[in-house]
Amino acid sequence: MSKETVREGQWIYVGENRIPAYVINVISEEEVSAGYYQNDVKAIKENFVLVDDRWEFKHKGPNGTYLKGTRYETIVKRGPYY
């Protein structure tokens, strides 16, 4: 995905497993804050960075916050194919 095209409200795909993540905030051309559905149990918001034209988790360990009770929780749980 080209970094010029990323915008709030679109889905990106993270890492080798292509985890779908809903863009909540564009921080820069190479960093976004997005929500994803972790293990089909929890909606989580984390920061992602563009590395070699692929989105990756910014941090290597648990670093996100829960989206519970937000409008983004429902969007993330439905997924990109809703």
Side-chain angles (χ1 to χ4, degrees):
M1 166 164 295
S2 171
K3 63 185 173 185
E4 291 86 21
T5 62
V6 69
R7 63 189 180 283
E8 292 176 11
Q10 86 178 80
W11 290 88
I12 60 172
Y13 296 88
V14 180
E16 289 181 19
N17 294 331
R18 298 189 40 82
I19 299 165
Y22 183 80
V23 178
I24 295 169
N25 185 30
V26 176
I27 298 165
S28 72
E29 291 181 341
E30 297 179 347
E31 183 175 354
V32 298
S33 178
Y36 70 101
Y37 203 21
Q38 183 184 62
N39 301 323
D40 290 331
V41 177
K42 301 174 203 157
I44 305 289
K45 179 176 111 177
E46 288 212 34
N47 286 3
F48 301 94
V49 292
L50 196 60
V51 177
D52 297 327
D53 291 327
R54 185 168 73 188
W55 291 102
E56 300 287 347
F57 285 87
K58 182 175 182 178
H59 302 282
K60 295 291 183 204
N63 196 58
T65 58
Y66 295 112
L67 289 171
K68 188 169 181 74
T70 69
R71 67 183 179 104
Y72 298 114
E73 178 184 24
T74 302
I75 294 169
V76 167
K77 285 183 175 183
R78 285 186 193 156
Y81 309 108
Y82 179 76

